[in-house]
Amino acid sequence: MLLPVSPALGVVLAVLLVFAAAVAARAGLGRSREILVAGVRAAVQLAAVSLLIGWVARYLAPLLGFVVLMFAVAAWTAGRRITRNSTWWWAAVPIAAGALPVVGLLLVTGLVPVRGLALIPVAGILVGGALTATVLGGRRALDELTTRYGEVEAGMALGMLDRDARLEIVRPAASDALLPGLDQTRTVGLVTLPGAFVGMLLGGASPVEAGAVQLFVLVALMAVQVVAVATVLELVARGRLHRE
């Protein structure tokens, strides 16, 4: 076992969490409370999932319900990170556009069976990747639109459509949302050994099998994130997702 579940593990986790919050406070990052809350929520949620996943994996209805819950939480989290007004729910569109086709393709081809122990982790990775790309792309796009709106108005004054003028300004900044995924893919095996690879090895798979699974995860994530960023850009450019 990589990390034995023991009191020592709990102490180390608590120390690391408090340390992260303390450094954030000392540096004036303004996220100390969020860090603590996120850590406690993660512990509670993972404990609940650990107890439920065995039951969920055995029945189709709870399995699909759990996947829908994952998507709903991702959409809510992304939307509230991007904007606080009533347009937040549009964040569900890029997450669905990125993750659902890939999950569907995997199910249709039989690469991922409709079983909890296979579907839930894969769906979680892809929905999580779409969530990250949507948040980063949406926030960067709206930040850029706020600071450079004079250029948008200038473009419209020159005869550009509203959508085209906004898109011209926000596209370069929002595309930076793809950089974390690109860097992870480019440096895999050289800088990092991601979770899927390590997990497969610990589960008894051969290095070749683990490498194949990790390659699939990285390529699928790139596809998901590209679609999510492109979709959130379009929503921002059309004014569907905005700030006051």
Side-chain angles (χ1 to χ4, degrees):
M1 184 179 295
L2 181 62
L3 287 175
V5 179
S6 65
L9 177 61
V11 172
V12 171
L13 288 174
V15 169
L16 289 174
L17 186 60
V18 172
F19 174 75
V23 172
R26 177 63 178 165
L29 302 180
R31 301 286 185 183
S32 299
R33 183 177 180 276
E34 289 185 55
I35 290 170
L36 293 173
V37 171
V40 173
R41 280 188 57 175
V44 173
Q45 289 163 191
L46 284 173
V49 169
S50 299
L51 294 174
L52 289 174
I53 198 166
W55 174 73
V56 169
R58 291 196 297 267
Y59 305 101
L60 182 60
L63 167 61
L64 296 179
F66 192 83
V67 173
V68 170
L69 176 63
M70 291 165 56
F71 172 77
V73 172
W76 185 86
T77 301
R80 302 305 288 176
R81 280 292 185 192
I82 295 171
T83 181
R84 292 290 179 176
N85 62 33
S86 59
T87 65
W88 68 267
W89 67 269
W90 280 100
V93 176
I95 295 175
L100 293 185
V102 178
V103 173
L105 178 63
L106 294 174
L107 293 176
V108 169
T109 57
L111 290 174
V112 174
V114 187
R115 290 188 292 105
L117 295 180
L119 179 59
I120 289 176
V122 171
I125 290 171
L126 298 179
V127 171
L131 159 65
T132 301
T134 299
V135 170
L136 293 177
R139 285 176 66 92
R140 289 298 304 274
L142 290 177
D143 289 345
E144 199 76 358
L145 199 60
T146 299
T147 58
R148 299 176 61 187
Y149 196 73
E151 296 175 56
V152 177
E153 291 183 323
M156 290 189 289
L158 293 174
M160 296 178 69
L161 297 175
D162 292 5
R163 169 194 174 273
D164 296 338
R166 295 191 187 101
L167 201 56
E168 192 70 22
I169 296 301
V170 303
R171 184 188 286 120
S175 66
D176 287 349
L178 299 175
L179 292 180
L182 288 172
D183 288 343
Q184 183 183 29
T185 303
R186 292 172 60 187
T187 60
V188 65
L190 299 176
V191 178
T192 61
L193 292 176
F197 183 84
V198 175
M200 290 286 291
L201 289 179
L202 293 176
S206 70
V208 173
E209 292 172 327
V213 170
Q214 185 60 65
L215 179 61
F216 152 72
V217 169
L218 292 172
V219 173
L221 274 176
M222 281 199 298
V224 166
Q225 291 176 340
V226 167
V227 173
V229 170
T231 305
V232 79
L233 268 176
E234 191 66 30
L235 292 172
V236 171
R238 292 178 179 273
R240 298 291 189 270
L241 192 60
H242 60 78
R243 293 173 182 157
E244 297 300 341

